[in-house]
Structures are given as C-alpha cells and as structure tokens.
Amino acid sequence: MNNPAPSDASGHAAPLRPDRNLALELVRATEAASIRAVPFIGRGDKEGADGAAVDAMRAFMTTVSCDGTIVIGEGEKDHAPMLFNGEQVGNGRGPKCDIAVDPIDGTTLTAAGRNNALSVIAVSDHGTMLDASSVFYMDKLVTGPAGVGVVDIRLPIGENIRLLAKALGKPVDEMVVSVLHRPRHEKLIAEIREAGAGTRLMTDGDVAGGINAARYNARTDMCVGVGGSPEGIVTACAIKALGGHIQGRLWPRDDDEKQRALDAGLKVDGYVYEADELVQGNNTIFVATGVTDGGLVAGVRRDANYVYTESVVLRGVSGTLRRISSEHLVSKWL
C-alpha cells in the first residue's frame, strides 16, 4: 500500500508519485499477459495472441494501486474495447500517472514463434508522457550513455556511427546497428554498411531493440529507423533509467495524418523530440516480461506443473534495472 502523501514546503499534501511498489505491482500484469499468450506462440494467430494478452493485462490492471490514464494503448475507444487511449485504470487509490501499455510488443514475432516478443507497461508522472497517438510512426535514434551529447538524429547515419565509435573507443568495423527490416529502410541499411558498420535486422519488436542498444556491454551499439510512435514513448521511459540517448521525429504517412498531428498540437516537418519531450522528468517506470526468448529477457517456459517467467523493471529515479524470475503453479492459471 502507498504511504500517506508527505507535505510540501507550504504544508499542503504533496501528490503521490509512481514508486517502486507500483513497479512491482505492474510486473503481475505483464506476467499475466505473457503467460496467456503462450498457447498462441508459433500458431500464426497474432490477433488471438494479442486478444488473450489484452484480457489478462486489463484484469490485473484493475487491481493496481494507482489512478492511471492510458496515454498509449490499443487504440481509440471505438476500436479497442479495453486498454484504449484515455481509459482510466487502477483501483483509483494510488498516484495519478500516465500509462503506456503494449500487451505484446511483437505480435508477429509471437505468431511466428520468433524471438524478442515482450509484454510491456511504462509509467510516468501524470501529464508528462507525450501523446503521439495521432501519428503511427516515429523515426528514432537510440544509444547508450556514450551517445549523450555526441550523436544527433539530424546528422547522416555514417557520421553518427563514427562519432559513437570514437566515444566508445571502438573501431567502426566493430559497430553494430539495429534496424527494423522493412523496405523503407533499404537506403538506411545500405548507408550503415557503407560506413563500415554491421547491421542487426529486426523483424519486429523495436522496444527491445532500443533497450538492448542502450544497455552497458550490449551486443548492439545503436538502434535507428522508423518504427511505431507508441514504441518510441515506451522506449524513452526505459532509456531514462539506463542513462542513454533517445531522439524521435514524427513520421506522418500522408497529409491527413499530418493534419491530425497538427490538430493534436504535435510538431512535425522534421522537428526533433528530445528525451525530456518524449517523457518529462526521470520518474519513469518500465516493466517488461518475455513472451518469447530474446536478448533482454527469457520467454515463458513451462516445465511439468510450473510456468517460469522472466521480467525486467527499470526505474528512472534510481537508474536501476532489476530482473525478476518467477515460478507460477500451472493449476492457478487453468
């Protein structure tokens, strides 16, 4: 339970803020979503996997001690019956906060039985998370701490690779850059290779790609390219805890989407959102549980009467990454 709110300098009660207790409560929701998705792994039914994960996450979110608003969810209310943008979640008895959910980041990965599918929740103080839901895509650049003040998304990718390599003390030919494997990135991939770096092409799941690039001693040094706008905001919450670098530019697909962005007060035409514009402040929480195996966490595994999950919890305030390995009785989930 949350403690009573402390008083501020004026003697008034200071508002409750997301804290470590909330982080541990959220793990239960991502664990539930991951476990419910297991029957769909490798079955070619990404809608079924997503639906099962949404149902499970929503059920657990009603018990969480917070007064949360879904800023980034499954879509608008008319198209998403649960975890939709603007929905109030939690039991209403905890801190007011912004919440981003992705019951499965990597539904295609799950359906195909490939690595790096996650169940994800990110949280920040109320009113601090950019609502970029009117634009589907965002161009992103993510690195670890060495890239802070060094790289810039406005520079050519080759120059960013050389600058980061120098900051890391690595030869350029040892640099590895993660990119979603999409036709829109053919030129970008060619430029990375022309610069002398290697690529790690991701079929999906750019949240994991961004976090893996920002972690110390990770196998990749940078994550770039156009992916989902919601995933960019979620990744920013995690990067705050890792001390890394993230920038984003909204990438409207057509004039109609651009106008919707402008109507929502968003900045387009190449405007670069820095980390503190994507998510203000450092009081962020990022929670992820593996659905399938990946470089960040292991996927769900069943052995006889038990189901095993692995999760990570990142907190921006403390700059910590904690791993949580859980053992669940199968009988409790049937």
Side-chain angles (χ1 to χ4, degrees):
M1 293 181 65
N2 287 290
N3 294 322
S7 297
D8 60 20
S10 65
H12 296 101
L16 291 171
R17 306 179 71 200
D19 62 11
R20 72 190 70 189
N21 297 321
L22 176 59
L24 294 177
E25 285 191 65
L26 294 173
V27 171
R28 297 167 59 239
T30 55
E31 287 176 342
S34 294
I35 291 171
R36 290 302 188 195
V38 168
F40 297 91
I41 295 175
R43 303 300 176 91
D45 182 5
K46 66 179 185 178
E47 287 80 12
D50 192 53
V54 168
D55 289 346
M57 181 176 283
R58 182 64 177 82
F60 274 83
M61 287 298 291
T62 61
T63 70
V64 174
S65 298
C66 72
D67 180 5
T69 301
I70 299 289
V71 175
I72 296 169
E74 291 292 284
E76 298 301 324
K77 182 177 181 180
D78 290 344
H79 301 288
M82 291 186 291
L83 300 180
F84 54 84
N85 299 345
E87 182 178 0
Q88 299 300 123
V89 294
N91 61 18
R93 295 193 294 271
K96 290 179 68 68
C97 52
D98 289 351
I99 299 179
V101 300
D102 198 344
I104 302 181
D105 175 43
T107 53
T108 300
L109 298 175
T110 303
R114 297 190 181 119
N115 287 355
N116 287 319
L118 303 169
S119 178
V120 174
I121 298 174
V123 176
S124 65
D125 290 327
H126 178 64
T128 61
M129 194 178 288
L130 180 69
D131 181 359
S133 57
S134 57
V135 181
F136 191 79
Y137 286 122
M138 179 186 289
D139 186 17
K140 289 161 279 190
L141 169 62
V142 184
T143 76
V148 176
V150 173
V151 298
D152 193 300
I153 197 171
R154 287 162 285 221
L155 296 175
I157 186 61
E159 186 172 350
N160 276 326
I161 290 170
R162 289 187 288 273
L163 288 169
L164 185 58
K166 182 178 180 180
L168 290 169
K170 294 175 64 171
V172 169
D173 63 7
E174 291 184 9
M175 297 288 289
V176 180
V177 181
S178 294
V179 190
L180 280 171
H181 195 191
R182 300 288 190 271
R184 62 178 177 267
H185 289 149
E186 287 181 2
K187 184 174 182 290
L188 177 61
I189 292 167
E191 290 174 346
I192 292 168
R193 292 170 176 170
E194 287 170 6
T199 55
R200 176 160 294 176
L201 302 183
M202 305 178 293
T203 56
D204 208 344
D206 59 336
V207 171
I211 295 172
N212 284 329
R215 292 170 59 208
Y216 179 70
N217 277 344
R219 293 184 179 181
T220 57
D221 303 292
M222 184 186 299
C223 184
V224 297
V226 176
S229 292
E231 287 81 358
I233 308 302
V234 168
T235 303
C237 289
I239 299 306
K240 290 295 184 87
L242 296 171
H245 169 92
I246 181 168
Q247 292 173 304
R249 294 183 290 205
L250 296 175
W251 203 71
R253 293 169 289 182
D254 51 39
D255 289 340
D256 288 342
E257 191 172 51
K258 179 178 177 180
Q259 189 58 52
R260 287 196 297 274
L262 293 172
D263 292 343
L266 297 171
K267 300 175 182 179
V268 291
D269 294 327
Y271 180 84
V272 176
Y273 282 91
E274 304 291 344
D276 280 335
E277 295 174 285
L278 297 172
V279 183
Q280 299 171 37
N282 289 318
N283 195 33
T284 61
I285 297 170
F286 172 92
V287 175
T289 301
V291 177
T292 59
D293 287 339
L296 183 62
V297 284
V300 181
R301 178 174 62 89
R302 178 172 177 174
D303 185 0
N305 296 321
Y306 295 92
V307 173
Y308 299 89
T309 58
E310 184 179 19
S311 306
V312 290
V313 177
L314 293 90
R315 291 188 66 230
V317 167
S318 57
T320 56
L321 184 157
R322 289 185 171 87
R323 293 190 177 276
I324 299 176
S325 297
S326 302
E327 181 180 287
H328 314 261
L329 271 172
V330 171
S331 61
K332 302 295 184 180
W333 288 91
L334 297 178

